[in-house]
Amino acid sequence: MLVPVLIRSRQHVMEFECGRKGRQRDKDERQDQGDCGSNDRTSEGRGSRADHGRGACSRNLHLCQPRKVLALASQAELHHATLHGQEVGPLGEKTVLIDTHTHLDDARFDGDRDTMIARAREAGVEAFITIGCDLATSRAAVSLADRYPFIYATVGVHPHEVKCIGDDWYDELRRLAQHPKVVAYGEIGLDYHYNHSPPKLQRDRFREQVCLARELRLPLVIHTREAQEDTIKILKEEKGSEVGGVFHCFSGDAWLAKDALNLGFFLSFSGVVTFQNATMLRDIMKTVPMDRLLVETDCPYLTPAPHRGKRNEPAYVKLIAEKIAELKDSTEPMSVQEVECHTSQNACRLFKIPYGSPERGQSENVR
Ligand SMILES: [Zn+2]
Ligand SMILES: [Zn+2]
């Protein structure tokens, strides 16, 4: 698996995560970096569940590069760069994307799931997160994560389905969440547009599930529609910021974007940004800092242009990154590769998806 690395000028910081541990290497880094050493380096070491470290440690690394370039590095190259404070290579244009919100268990993929996944891999999708919406889909997500090294899962109960929550559901979700490839809790939240479950029940179940996610130390995948004030209120009251998370398929207004960012959450953009009538959403997207952006397809729903009307699939996540680059580029220079790089780094940071080969990731992903 190639790792997206953005190398900036010496005034900036390159941040990435790797599977390394131990204080000696911190020391090595300081020595090897000479006058490029920084004070803002963080070291988490091999993480406990409390700090979400699942074999991942964060590093900030100053590099003496006079220009801003984009590099894609293998795990071994990154390791070397960490030790020696050097630019890593090879520089390239290869696509590296993470589709952070999919429903790969959906029956619409039953006929061609393997080829659909292969197509996405071919298009540069290095990792997928497949989402649980109730007990059955949470189980299905975990079993897909079990089958494919590059698929990660979430568990949780969607606001549409909370009316179905039975006595034993939370125990079963707790059990499923122990799987090493469950990287978040959700999707959970409020949907007053459809009200498939009564609003009061949605709020109660949302609160309970935020608490459960905190107990499990998993970031939240939030679904909110026409319910932004209650969503923010509950997240504040139930201390959602303690675990953080993402507002998936962001479609709220500027007020919600600001509040979500203030709470420390990421905003994930879907194919909706490519829709002709989504002018307000595009304007909001332009204001979101690059270190808080994620991309997702939410497949099989929300197919981006120009494929609208067809089934959505993860290969199309590239179209969303392209749209974001085009929009961001209107205010600051921004390439598609930079968008891919930032969003993939963000996803790895939020979901603690270990870098390195998928197989290695799987075995190191210990919680
Ligand atoms: Zn949703
Ligand atoms: Zn979804």
Side-chain angles (χ1 to χ4, degrees):
M1 183 179 188
L2 288 173
V3 181
V5 178
L6 190 66
I7 299 175
R8 293 180 178 279
S9 67
R10 65 181 297 169
Q11 288 82 15
H12 292 87
V13 175
M14 180 184 86
E15 184 182 1
F16 62 88
E17 296 188 18
C18 65
R20 295 166 60 251
K21 55 181 176 177
R23 293 185 182 283
Q24 181 58 41
R25 273 173 297 215
D26 259 0
K27 215 171 117 200
D28 292 345
E29 263 178 40
R30 262 192 302 278
Q31 285 165 356
D32 288 344
Q33 283 171 21
D35 65 358
C36 295
S38 76
N39 296 323
D40 55 357
R41 187 177 294 112
T42 60
S43 173
E44 293 168 14
R46 182 100 183 165
S48 64
R49 292 184 63 154
D51 61 23
H52 309 296
R54 283 163 225 166
C57 60
S58 293
R59 290 280 188 283
N60 291 333
L61 178 61
H62 276 203
L63 294 176
C64 301
Q65 300 304 318
R67 67 210 147 86
K68 184 176 158 189
V69 290
L70 187 72
L72 294 165
S74 70
Q75 179 73 13
E77 287 161 340
L78 249 189
H79 184 83
H80 184 83
T82 313
L83 289 176
H84 301 287
Q86 291 170 347
E87 182 177 353
V88 290
L91 301 180
E93 300 281 302
K94 187 182 183 297
T95 301
V96 179
L97 284 157
I98 297 180
D99 190 347
T100 61
H101 194 109
T102 64
H103 297 275
L104 298 180
D105 63 303
D106 193 279
R108 275 164 275 189
F109 295 127
D110 283 353
D112 66 340
R113 189 167 286 104
D114 283 336
T115 43
M116 175 271 292
I117 288 170
R119 204 155 44 233
R121 299 278 291 164
E122 192 59 34
V125 181
E126 290 284 333
F128 310 68
I129 298 176
T130 190
I131 304 290
C133 292
D134 58 14
L135 212 46
T137 53
S138 295
R139 286 189 186 117
V142 171
S143 90
L144 278 167
D146 238 354
R147 266 212 353 254
Y148 298 88
F150 41 77
I151 294 180
Y152 296 84
T154 74
V155 300
V157 188
H158 192 287
H160 289 348
E161 315 299 337
V162 292
K163 60 180 182 293
C164 306
I165 291 179
D167 289 344
D168 54 343
W169 278 39
Y170 288 151
D171 283 343
E172 177 65 0
L173 289 165
R174 263 189 199 92
R175 193 189 65 75
L176 286 168
Q178 298 310 312
H179 190 286
K181 288 182 78 193
V182 171
V183 295
Y185 192 93
E187 57 186 300
I188 59 171
L190 303 171
D191 193 319
Y192 296 165
H193 179 78
Y194 288 109
N195 277 332
H196 286 327
S197 297
K200 164 87 170 73
L201 189 67
Q202 289 188 44
R203 289 190 290 276
D204 291 347
R205 297 309 196 198
F206 182 32
R207 281 183 195 280
E208 288 166 7
Q209 294 192 85
V210 173
C211 291
L212 181 50
R214 282 176 52 215
E215 174 196 319
L216 295 166
R217 298 238 147 247
L218 287 171
L220 302 161
V221 177
I222 303 292
H223 171 109
T224 179
R225 191 159 180 201
E226 292 174 26
Q228 45 189 60
E229 277 181 49
D230 284 353
T231 303
I232 292 292
K233 183 168 178 278
I234 289 172
L235 283 176
K236 280 183 180 163
E237 288 173 3
E238 303 302 335
K239 303 189 181 74
S241 295
E242 212 173 274
V243 284
V246 54
F247 279 67
H248 109 83
C249 186
F250 187 82
S251 55
D253 60 17
W255 178 88
L256 182 65
K258 189 163 158 277
D259 271 26
L261 291 170
N262 284 343
L263 284 174
F265 278 70
F266 290 76
L267 305 187
S268 178
F269 288 84
S270 66
V272 177
V273 286
T274 70
F275 294 0
Q276 211 162 24
N277 59 359
T279 314
M280 187 183 84
L281 185 67
R282 282 191 281 272
D283 287 343
I284 292 168
M285 195 284 299
K286 286 194 232 172
T287 69
V288 179
M290 287 309 292
D291 64 352
R292 297 290 195 88
L293 269 181
L294 297 175
V295 287
E296 65 171 83
T297 55
D298 201 10
C299 64
Y301 316 103
L302 298 175
T303 313
H307 302 294
R308 288 193 75 179
K310 284 198 251 167
R311 180 191 72 178
N312 196 6
E313 57 176 67
Y316 297 157
V317 74
K318 170 102 179 160
L319 296 168
I320 299 159
E322 282 170 0
K323 190 65 180 177
I324 290 174
E326 177 196 318
L327 294 165
K328 286 274 187 189
D329 195 56
S330 61
T331 50
E332 55 181 312
M334 183 68 63
S335 67
V336 185
Q337 286 78 22
E338 278 176 286
V339 171
E340 292 169 358
C341 179
H342 277 287
T343 56
S344 297
Q345 281 189 331
N346 295 342
C348 290
R349 199 164 84 235
L350 174 63
F351 298 112
K352 304 298 173 206
I353 294 174
Y355 284 154
S357 71
E359 291 74 17
R360 181 186 152 98
Q362 195 168 26
S363 62
E364 284 204 346
N365 197 355
V366 178
R367 287 182 34 234

